[in-house]
Amino acid sequence: MLTSPIHGHPWERLTSPTKRHAIYQANESTPKYSQQKQPLSYYHPQQQYPSHAPSVPFSQCPYPINQPSYPLSISNSQLSPFHRPLDSRSSNPSPLRQNCYPISQSNPEAFNNRDFNISYTQQRSYGQMRNRPHQDRQGTAASMSWFHWLLTQWVPSLLLLNVLGRQTGLHVVKAILCSRWGTPSNKGLSQDGDVIIGGLLSLFYIPSAIEQGFTRLPHYKPCNGLDLLTLKYMYAMTFAVDEINRNTTLLPGVKLGYRILDSCSRYPWAMQAALSLVGGDTNSCNLTTSMSQSAAHEQLGETTGGQPVPLLIGASTSSTAIIQSRILGPLSISYLASCPCLSDRLKFPNFFRTIPSDTYQARAIARLAIRFNWTWIGAVIVNNDYGQGAIQTFQKEIRGKGVCLDFIETVHRETIVSDARRAAITIQASTARVILIFCWYTDVKKLFLELAKRNVTDRQFLASEAWSTSSDLLQDLTISEVANGVLGVAIRSSTIPGFENYLKNLHPNHRPNDEFLRYFWEKEFSCSPEATQSHATPSSSYSSSSPEKRSLQKNSLPTCNGTESLEGMQHVLTDTSQLRVAYNVYLAVYAAAHALHSLLSCPNRDSPLRNNSSTCSSAKHVTPIELLQHLNKVNVTTPQGEMFYFQGADIPAMYDLVNWQTTPEGPLKLVLIGRVDEFDLHLNESAIQWSTGSNQVPISVCSESCPPGTRKANRKGEPVCCFDCIPCAEGEISNKTGSLHCERCPSEFWSNANQTACIPRQLDFLSFNETLGITLTTAAVSGAILTTAVFVVFLSYRQTPMVRANNSELSFLLLLSLKLCFLCSLVFIGRPSVWSCQFQQAAFGISFVLSVSCLLVKTIVVLAVFRSARPGAEALMKWFGPGQQRGSVFLFTCIQVIICVIWLSLNPPVPRSDLGFQGSKVTLECAMTSVVGFSLVLGYIGLLACTCLILAFLARKLPDNFNEAKLITFSMLIFCAVWVAFVPAYVSSPGKYVVAVEIFAILASSYGLLFCIFAPKCFIILLRPEKNTKKHLMAR
């Protein structure tokens, strides 16, 4: 017999190479395709490649928990190196290679390289985040070598022999292969029942790492300390089971039991414990021919008492959960594994948990940042899947919400001291006042110590649930100033009625088989409880310990006197003020109980008329695949009144929002300030104590928010949170802080002076009250007065030669028309109305035509007089007598009147608000709806003026001492120049200045006519009367 010790669990080869075969025959419950017998290949250790042992039929053996199985057939070329012993590359036989190992394909995915690599990656990522405070994170290589040995040698054998056959109910037909040396570890806690649920907890600390030489199987120091928090989790599970057993409505008539094992937070030991739970502990797998699976189990149960459990409460870390689900695939409910990857039902169909995925806490923290307008945030994350996944979710949640990350510092567990120093320097130099941390609490402590050295106490920290409730940080006075005001997300807490009394009533005398309680009692009270039976110390859970050492430890402690009690003690074990993980364990047990209740409930169980054995499940034969179906449908109300159900693998995400606040004693205290219900934040902001010590929310921005009246302008090459504030343009406003764009006011409105609101535009028109209006009015009135004065002078001196020689009748008519021209300009001033718009254009056109007509007739008369002086032209004057002159003026004026009447009848000017000119005022003007009408009026005036100018120019050299034609020529030149310049000025002038230009043109041309024609005459009449004689006027 060749043996090879394997760390306290050696396996013994019982059969010779010629007997290395097994025949399984499926029972009637096996699927049809399972009845076909397939050959099973074995790997022979003494050859480099698998040897073909006598092929034996092997029926389909689906693992009842994991995904649908595959036919169990494999050829030599299909064998993976992971199916071989660790030394299979050696050419010389070794003791390890004397054993044979069947190749399992019940779950082929569990043993390929891809899945192994994923498990290894997840082990490094999440295994360090969920372990307890006193665990040592070193020794990864050693852990993996242990795990590799377990995967390649021990797992396939136990998985195939102890699990597949037991869970599927196969009949053993012939001999089995091997047995295990030694006995399984009895370090656990169990209670008998009709249905047993398993518990996998990390009760002991990880010991110091041991350097592995890889010349022998991995070896470790035993675990040497009990974690009191995990001990509380264990008693939460036992309390829940006892509470369910006392409940008459939940699982009536069925006693629920449990079997709890410790994994010591080692992945290989967690796998060993999980296999022991779901496969049952067996010393021998040598089953007799034709023995049924149930009978075989009864025989094994007599030997070890290890009964397979249909459901597992665990694991405590995401890495452990991933490894177990990938390789073993047990039906499990975890209370602390929060990796988002475990929500994938395709990869982990049998996994459930009572803790939310880490995705939700990153979303909750992002919503906190958005709620408090923290737009400039720094981040410190651990360099693994936990930190990287959380910061990616955080960035996705804040995208488009105006929140930016100033920096992302990563820390490594191996170089935490230097990384913490680098992160502290970055935080000190950053302008961000809010720092997000996704790390384990030990990393945070190093960082806070570095910040305390630099006296950085004005930062507001956002905590993930991995450290938001750490009592080690809360009680550390050296970092209290730095950590004051921490705002974090925590696993939701709840109360468990009766649990505190349950913990305080714990006593080793009442629980003689509870090795964990006994160990705790010895450490807490420094005495040894009176033993009712032989016990071994828990430290020997995973390695042999000599009897001398155990007796020495027992004899070193005095016997307890029986008065020791947890009643009245303030102890971490009995503290139930904030039950978080313990409540998750409590919920997991209740979820399992309700699924069992649904599975075992049978409405017609008591009916004598029908056989219910085929439709009703038995508590003694609960299979995981049956329980899985009912676990997916769990939807109940907990004893605390909460709705509980699974959404795939997860429960509805609920968190507590906690705040670290100062106390008079010195240490910080944890204060509940709100909660998170999936996507809703319920927060009591008045209860928050910020890092600044005040109730004012800290400000963390790259640029101060732009005030109303301005907009953001991003800086080139910088994040969107860094910007400049640009004032809004005229006519645009921004009425809120931090506007991205300025909004244009409606056409009837304009922006106020601060660009913060739109106000109605002021009506703007040329009024008599403004300076321009007053000036033009004065000029018009002065012109009218001056014209009247000239009229009076001419009227007084109407008998003088000067007046009579210049056609006094037309002169008086010209003065009257000029007075009308001056006065018509006043109609253009003031608020436009319908009547004013129509009257002003008609008055302007008719007045000027009258003036120009008088000048034209005067010019024609001058030409006719001088022409009639020629021989034979005496008859010419009869056509230009006074009647003809009056008739000509009337005819020319009537034509303009007809044009104005037609224009004003068909399409007259109307008052209109001019919104085209952008400004705070809206101009009221008379709109020329018909440009043709206005053009005809001006064109007719221009035609008469040009005719008059030509005729006057021709008569300028006629012989007379006072030739009026010269004066008419100069006046027409001024008149034409004014109105030619008027056209472009009129078109280009904005708003009310259009009216001013037209009034100026009227006044300028009127003054030009008045002065050019009448000023010289008045000068002679009033100042040079000696020249006002016929002789002087007729002189050449």
Side-chain angles (χ1 to χ4, degrees):
M1 180 181 302
L2 298 175
T3 63
S4 177
I6 306 178
H7 195 60
H9 299 286
W11 289 83
E12 176 182 6
R13 188 166 73 89
L14 298 178
T15 57
S16 63
T18 59
K19 296 181 180 181
R20 290 174 299 180
H21 60 89
I23 301 175
Y24 293 85
Q25 181 177 355
N27 57 21
E28 295 179 358
S29 63
T30 310
K32 292 182 179 180
Y33 63 84
S34 301
Q35 303 294 336
Q36 300 175 2
K37 299 179 180 180
Q38 303 290 342
L40 173 67
S41 298
Y42 288 93
Y43 177 73
H44 197 288
Q46 294 183 353
Q47 298 181 6
Q48 187 174 359
Y49 298 97
S51 62
H52 284 285
S55 297
V56 296
F58 196 92
S59 64
Q60 174 70 19
C61 298
Y63 188 71
I65 304 176
N66 216 321
Q67 301 177 10
S69 56
Y70 304 87
L72 190 61
S73 176
I74 189 167
S75 63
N76 295 347
S77 61
Q78 292 175 320
L79 286 175
S80 168
F82 290 102
H83 297 151
R84 308 171 188 173
L86 290 175
D87 61 342
S88 60
R89 290 173 293 181
S90 174
S91 58
N92 298 324
S94 67
L96 286 176
R97 302 181 64 194
Q98 301 302 318
N99 293 303
C100 60
Y101 309 99
I103 307 302
S104 170
Q105 278 192 328
S106 61
N107 186 3
E109 285 192 33
F111 294 97
N112 57 37
N113 296 343
R114 177 178 59 84
D115 290 342
F116 180 84
N117 291 333
I118 292 177
S119 298
Y120 177 76
T121 302
Q122 298 291 348
Q123 171 191 358
R124 293 185 59 85
S125 301
Y126 273 88
Q128 300 169 347
M129 298 307 302
R130 298 296 177 192
N131 294 336
R132 297 175 309 281
H134 304 284
Q135 294 174 344
D136 185 1
R137 275 73 176 187
Q138 300 176 359
T140 303
S143 297
M144 286 312 304
S145 61
W146 219 108
F147 174 72
H148 187 267
W149 164 82
L150 179 69
L151 177 67
T152 55
Q153 299 190 41
W154 192 65
V155 171
S157 300
L158 190 56
L159 177 64
L160 179 63
L161 301 180
N162 292 355
V163 178
L164 294 182
R166 294 173 182 272
Q167 301 279 350
T168 55
L170 300 177
H171 293 283
V172 178
V173 177
K174 209 163 185 178
I176 211 65
L177 300 180
C178 52
S179 67
R180 183 173 58 190
W181 277 8
T183 59
S185 172
N186 62 353
K187 295 310 165 202
L189 189 63
S190 62
Q191 175 179 293
D192 292 335
D194 300 323
V195 180
I196 306 296
I197 60 174
L200 185 61
L201 299 100
S202 301
L203 287 156
F204 290 93
Y205 304 152
I206 293 180
S208 301
I210 298 179
E211 183 178 356
Q212 306 294 339
F214 299 99
T215 57
R216 57 173 181 168
L217 290 176
H219 55 286
Y220 298 94
K221 291 182 179 179
C223 291
N224 51 16
L226 186 63
D227 183 13
L228 299 182
L229 289 178
T230 309
L231 186 64
K232 187 191 298 184
Y233 308 158
M234 183 188 75
Y235 287 126
M237 179 175 176
T238 62
F239 173 78
V241 171
D242 293 344
E243 192 176 58
I244 292 168
N245 288 334
R246 293 193 302 268
N247 194 328
T248 58
T249 59
L250 184 60
L251 289 176
V254 178
K255 182 182 179 182
L256 190 63
Y258 54 80
R259 185 174 176 220
I260 303 172
L261 296 180
D262 172 42
S263 66
C264 195
S265 296
R266 288 289 191 189
Y267 305 129
W269 294 342
M271 278 298 300
Q272 172 189 346
L275 285 168
S276 297
L277 290 171
V278 301
D281 287 329
T282 60
N283 279 336
S284 174
C285 52
N286 184 13
L287 307 181
T288 58
T289 304
S290 300
M291 181 182 295
S292 68
Q293 189 270 343
S294 58
H297 169 67
E298 290 175 2
Q299 175 177 325
L300 292 172
E302 293 173 359
T303 305
T304 65
Q307 178 180 350
V309 297
L311 181 139
L312 189 64
I313 305 298
S316 60
T317 68
S318 296
S319 295
T320 305
I322 292 169
I323 293 172
Q324 289 179 2
S325 297
R326 287 289 191 179
I327 298 176
L328 186 58
L331 179 60
S332 60
I333 306 176
S334 177
Y335 53 89
L336 208 53
S338 60
C339 175
C341 60
L342 291 168
S343 298
D344 191 342
R345 301 307 283 167
L346 295 178
K347 295 181 179 179
F348 308 101
N350 310 317
F351 178 82
F352 297 85
R353 56 183 167 193
T354 55
I355 184 174
S357 167
D358 286 328
T359 300
Y360 294 100
Q361 68 161 324
R363 291 177 180 174
I365 295 177
R367 286 184 174 87
L368 283 175
I370 296 171
R371 178 178 182 133
F372 292 115
N373 295 319
W374 293 328
T375 61
W376 195 234
I377 298 177
V380 180
I381 62 172
V382 64
N383 190 30
N384 57 23
D385 288 351
Y386 175 75
Q388 298 292 347
I391 200 63
Q392 289 175 11
T393 302
F394 181 84
Q395 289 176 308
K396 181 179 179 181
E397 193 70 17
I398 64 175
R399 189 173 297 125
K401 305 296 178 55
V403 180
C404 306
L405 288 175
D406 181 21
F407 62 86
I408 301 177
E409 285 288 339
T410 58
V411 297
H412 302 72
R413 190 60 48 79
E414 296 80 5
T415 58
I416 183 59
V417 175
S418 60
D419 290 350
R421 185 182 304 110
R422 185 191 69 249
I425 294 173
T426 302
I427 292 173
Q428 185 179 21
S430 172
T431 57
R433 289 297 177 265
V434 176
I435 310 298
L436 168 64
I437 301 181
F438 278 103
C439 295
W440 183 239
Y441 87 98
T442 54
D443 305 330
V444 177
K445 187 171 185 178
K446 295 289 186 182
L447 175 62
F448 282 179
L449 288 174
E450 291 292 336
L451 292 173
K453 292 178 183 178
R454 292 166 172 78
N455 196 27
V456 181
T457 59
D458 59 343
R459 299 302 193 269
Q460 178 65 47
F461 293 97
L462 298 179
S464 66
E465 54 87 17
W467 65 276
S468 62
T469 58
S470 172
S471 59
D472 189 37
L473 295 177
L474 288 166
Q475 300 300 321
D476 195 336
L477 297 178
T478 59
I479 62 174
S480 59
E481 291 188 7
V482 176
N484 176 35
V486 166
L487 189 63
V489 174
I491 300 173
R492 55 88 181 269
S493 61
S494 185
T495 58
I496 304 178
F499 186 47
E500 184 177 9
N501 292 332
Y502 178 84
L503 292 174
K504 290 184 176 180
N505 291 330
L506 291 174
H507 198 282
N509 292 340
H510 303 155
R511 306 171 68 91
N513 295 323
D514 192 341
E515 290 293 329
F516 304 110
L517 182 59
R518 179 183 180 86
Y519 184 83
F520 164 74
W521 212 263
E522 291 176 353
K523 294 296 184 181
E524 188 65 30
F525 297 104
S526 300
C527 65
S528 177
E530 185 177 355
T532 57
Q533 61 183 16
S534 177
H535 300 285
T537 61
S539 61
S540 60
S541 297
Y542 301 101
S543 65
S544 59
S545 181
S546 63
E548 294 79 10
K549 182 177 180 179
R550 293 197 298 269
S551 61
L552 179 61
Q553 182 176 356
K554 181 176 180 180
N555 295 334
S556 61
L557 296 175
T559 303
C560 297
N561 55 22
T563 60
E564 297 82 3
S565 174
L566 297 177
E567 289 282 350
M569 287 184 59
Q570 295 293 332
H571 196 275
V572 64
L573 180 63
T574 59
D575 181 16
T576 59
S577 59
Q578 292 187 358
L579 296 176
R580 302 186 185 278
V581 182
Y583 185 68
N584 288 350
V585 176
Y586 181 81
L587 281 182
V589 176
Y590 263 90
H594 281 283
L596 285 169
H597 181 84
S598 176
L599 172 64
L600 300 178
S601 295
C602 187
N604 301 319
R605 182 183 297 275
D606 299 329
S607 175
L609 300 179
R610 58 187 300 176
N611 182 15
N612 299 301
S613 60
S614 61
T615 60
C616 299
S617 300
S618 171
K620 294 293 185 181
H621 301 88
V622 174
T623 61
I625 195 168
E626 294 176 327
L627 190 57
L628 171 64
Q629 300 172 3
H630 292 270
L631 198 58
N632 280 317
K633 302 175 183 178
V634 167
N635 191 341
V636 296
T637 303
T638 65
Q640 286 69 35
E642 297 179 359
M643 291 301 298
F644 179 85
Y645 56 93
F646 286 108
Q647 298 172 328
D650 302 315
I651 61 173
M654 289 183 285
Y655 290 97
D656 285 344
L657 296 176
V658 295
N659 182 220
W660 292 13
Q661 300 183 3
T662 56
T663 61
E665 295 79 15
L668 300 174
K669 66 177 179 179
L670 195 67
V671 178
L672 183 66
I673 58 170
R675 69 182 190 279
V676 180
D677 292 336
E678 292 193 77
F679 300 104
D680 298 327
L681 286 179
H682 305 277
L683 185 63
N684 182 12
E685 295 187 25
S686 61
I688 302 177
Q689 184 183 97
W690 301 104
S691 58
T692 56
S694 66
N695 293 328
Q696 296 295 326
V697 179
I699 298 176
S700 182
V701 295
C702 178
S703 300
E704 292 291 338
S705 297
C706 291
T710 61
R711 64 175 178 86
K712 293 180 179 179
N714 293 334
R715 298 172 184 169
K716 187 176 181 180
E718 296 188 27
V720 296
C721 300
C722 301
F723 49 82
D724 296 319
C725 297
I726 305 299
C728 293
E730 291 186 356
E732 297 180 347
I733 65 163
S734 63
N735 54 6
K736 60 182 180 180
T737 302
S739 296
L740 295 175
H741 306 283
C742 294
E743 299 179 359
R744 182 169 294 278
C745 293
S747 57
E748 296 82 4
F749 295 83
W750 196 251
S751 57
N752 60 2
N754 296 326
Q755 260 63 32
T756 57
C758 290
I759 58 177
R761 288 187 180 186
Q762 297 178 359
L763 295 178
D764 186 30
F765 54 88
L766 187 60
S767 67
F768 292 100
N769 300 323
E770 60 180 301
T771 303
L772 181 60
I774 293 173
T775 302
L776 294 176
T777 301
T778 303
V781 172
S782 300
I785 295 173
L786 187 58
T787 304
T788 303
V790 173
F791 185 87
V792 171
V793 171
F794 266 59
L795 185 62
S796 301
Y797 293 90
R798 63 183 179 276
Q799 300 299 329
T800 61
M802 180 62 68
V803 176
R804 295 182 65 186
N806 288 280
N807 200 336
S808 60
E809 187 175 353
L810 289 180
S811 296
F812 286 120
L813 187 60
L814 178 59
L815 288 172
L816 179 61
S817 64
L818 288 177
K819 187 175 182 179
L820 292 176
C821 289
F822 282 117
L823 294 177
C824 80
S825 64
L826 299 178
V827 183
F828 289 86
I829 302 175
R831 180 166 183 165
S833 60
V834 175
W835 74 267
S836 65
C837 288
Q838 296 180 8
F839 179 75
Q840 64 187 2
Q841 298 300 335
F844 158 70
I846 295 172
S847 299
F848 268 88
V849 165
L850 181 59
S851 300
V852 177
S853 298
C854 292
L855 292 176
L856 179 60
V857 171
K858 286 171 70 68
T859 305
I860 293 174
V861 170
V862 171
L863 287 173
V865 169
F866 282 95
R867 293 291 181 184
S868 64
R870 295 177 182 180
E874 293 82 2
L876 184 62
M877 282 304 298
K878 65 181 181 180
W879 297 101
F880 294 96
Q884 287 79 5
Q885 295 176 14
R886 289 191 295 269
S888 298
V889 172
F890 179 76
L891 177 62
F892 292 147
T893 305
C894 286
I895 295 174
Q896 182 74 305
V897 171
I898 293 172
I899 293 174
C900 290
V901 169
I902 295 174
W903 173 32
L904 297 179
S905 299
L906 297 179
N907 205 351
V910 293
R912 184 186 67 180
S913 300
D914 183 12
L915 303 176
F917 177 66
Q918 298 298 324
S920 61
K921 299 178 181 180
V922 55
T923 303
L924 286 179
E925 62 180 8
C926 291
M928 299 298 175
T929 56
S930 176
V931 179
V932 175
F934 184 62
S935 300
L936 288 175
V937 170
L938 290 180
Y940 183 66
I941 296 174
L943 177 62
L944 294 179
C946 291
T947 303
C948 183
L949 175 63
I950 294 172
L951 294 177
F953 181 77
L954 294 176
R956 73 186 187 281
K957 294 183 179 181
L958 292 176
D960 229 348
N961 196 21
F962 186 82
N963 189 355
E964 195 178 19
K966 296 179 181 179
L967 303 179
I968 295 174
T969 301
F970 284 113
S971 64
M972 285 297 101
L973 284 174
I974 295 173
F975 184 90
C976 292
V978 169
W979 286 104
V980 168
F982 161 77
V983 175
Y986 182 87
V987 173
S988 60
S989 297
K992 63 182 180 181
Y993 298 102
V994 174
V995 180
V997 167
E998 189 171 359
I999 295 174
F1000 178 80
I1002 293 172
L1003 295 177
S1005 58
S1006 299
Y1007 273 106
L1009 293 176
L1010 180 63
F1011 281 103
C1012 290
I1013 294 175
F1014 293 99
K1017 296 178 181 180
C1018 291
F1019 177 78
I1020 293 174
I1021 292 172
L1022 297 176
L1023 300 179
R1024 296 288 187 268
E1026 67 276 8
K1027 294 183 179 181
N1028 189 8
T1029 61
K1030 185 176 180 181
K1031 180 181 179 180
H1032 182 269
L1033 293 176
M1034 296 301 292
R1036 294 181 179 274

